[in-house]
Amino acid sequence: MTLSELAQKALATRREVLRMIYRAGAGHIGGALSAVDLLVVLFYDIMNYRPEEPDWPMRDRFILSKGHSCEGYYVILADRGYFPREELTSFMKYQSRLMGHPHPEIPGVEIATGSLGHGLSVAVGMALAGKRDQLPYRVYCLLGDGELAEGSIWEAAMAAAHYGLDNLVCLIDCNGLQISGPTKQVMNTQPLAAKWEAFGWAVRAIDGHDLQQIRQHLNLVPFSTGRPSLVIARTVKGKGISFIENDYHWHHRVPTSEEYERAMRELAGPGRQGLEDDR
Amino acid sequence: MDRPNRRVFTETLLALAKNDRRIFALASDSRGSATLNEFAATLPDQFVEVGIAEQNLVGIAAGLAKCGKIPFVCSPACFLSMRSIEQVKTDVAYSGANVRLIGISGGVSYGALGGTHHSLQDLAVMQAIPGMTVLLPADNRETALLTQELVDYPGPVYMRLGRETAPRVYEDDYRPAIGKGTELLSGFDLTIVAAGELVRSALDAGHLLRKEGISCRVVALNTLKPLDTEILLTAAKETGAILTVEEHSIYGGLGSRVAQFLGESCPVPLSVAGFPDEPLVTGSQEELFRHYRLDAAGLVERAKKLFRRKQAPRF
């Protein structure tokens, strides 16, 4: 996909995320928007998978460890054909399978996440299985920076390096904010790169909204043979909507109708009003 | 010759794994307690050591299971059932990852090491996880046969094994079935229902009671969940009094589950033998069984009291 096509996908994904949350009256808008560009590059450009054959053994695996940011993930899975786009309208509604956190009942989702600090261990298990079976697939795991306070993350980081899992790629959506405020104030996990390097990972820091940079670096994994790769992606919580950006109060706030319309106009692409449907 | 069930389990697992590359054994610096050294040396490609990290242990197992492996997670029951219970709930059960959780040295196997090492809440916690099968083999034969059953059994499983030599309960022709209890002794005055390695004490108590003229039925359950409600209902109807015995807190284990079931279907006088809701005294497993009256003599005493209650006029 060209960079401009990726940018179009990212914009359309953000619009759909906003629609889903507004319609449901619930969701995690801040973290969903900060992760969109990373997800778009992974799912439209980097990963090998077959939506028509979700259990294809050679597929690259993806785990959204920060499971509350599921909206963008659902939009992309639907767009790739795992389930009908119409189903997005049921997000968090009664008896919908699109609940507020991912679950394997949703086609394309590998594992349930939502309780933080779980995803990387599961990713390690999948990467280890790939190594033992000598299969060429990779495992990608997206973490939030607030999530890093969970001790299980570091248990998994240790194990990934111990087993030399260079088929494992971890991305940290580093938006610097969590539900109670700035991550540095809630629980400072800096210096991140030094910590992960000390744990045996090959680390690169990038701009998590620069599609070209994301793509460039993800195309270079493993950054070091025999070591797991970590991408520290600097991102903006609520990216794309000016009055939501960088405000932790928007961790899971739902826009009012006025805010919704204003946000939609901001997310409009060239020549669009923003409020119309993307289909 | 009777041996510890944990040893029988690992030998059976190794024999199975030699012919089935899907089988993985995972340890959390628990190779010694789980007796997995030979497995690790013989099949290093099917063995995973995670160090002292029970949360990671279960998460990794879920990842392996999702990639077609059949992971047997072997870790002391006290840590496996508590430290990593959220991974069990979310990564394993909720995610549909078919992981076999083997709680080694369950109950008060580690008696004198103290409360940190007692596993007296594991059954309460594990049976509350949707879809989890909870197994408690009694002797060596049952352990070996249930281990074989587990390879292709659908859904996640928790199996608790003790540390010490497990006395023999079953005959050579016994074939356990998951979810099916066994009547070990027939009788009509009352029923002792036991699970796991206390089945032997229950059976001994049953024989002692018969000598005293009380016709005691003994029912062994190798599966706490799903519960064999048929055998329980028959016992309640035919004997009119139930004594449960378990190596667990009296809260949330076998006694609680049986009480819930019979309360809803066939209320009869019931007595729940287990460990009280308090810090335990120091001692070996055997000493603790004796202290808390879970040995055959203690069960006989309790059964007689229950039998008197059954005979007393009701209001």
Side-chain angles (χ1 to χ4, degrees), chain B residues 237-281:
Chain B
K237 282 181 180 160
E238 292 180 359
T239 71
I242 304 280
L243 165 60
T244 65
V245 51
E246 63 194 306
E247 191 177 352
H248 190 267
S249 161
I250 51 168
Y251 293 131
L254 173 71
S256 297
R257 185 69 190 92
V258 169
Q260 182 187 14
F261 169 68
L262 291 181
E264 285 172 347
S265 56
C266 182
V268 295
L270 176 80
S271 179
V272 174
F275 286 97
D277 189 30
E278 64 191 35
L280 304 188
V281 300

Side-chain angles (χ1 to χ4, degrees), chain B residues 89-103:
Chain B
K89 172 191 149 189
T90 302
D91 307 355
V92 173
Y94 187 51
S95 296
N98 282 356
V99 172
R100 283 83 186 85
L101 302 154
I102 312 299

Side-chain angles (χ1 to χ4, degrees), chain B residues 19 61 157 191 224:
Chain B
N19 298 311
V157 177
T191 303
L224 180 57

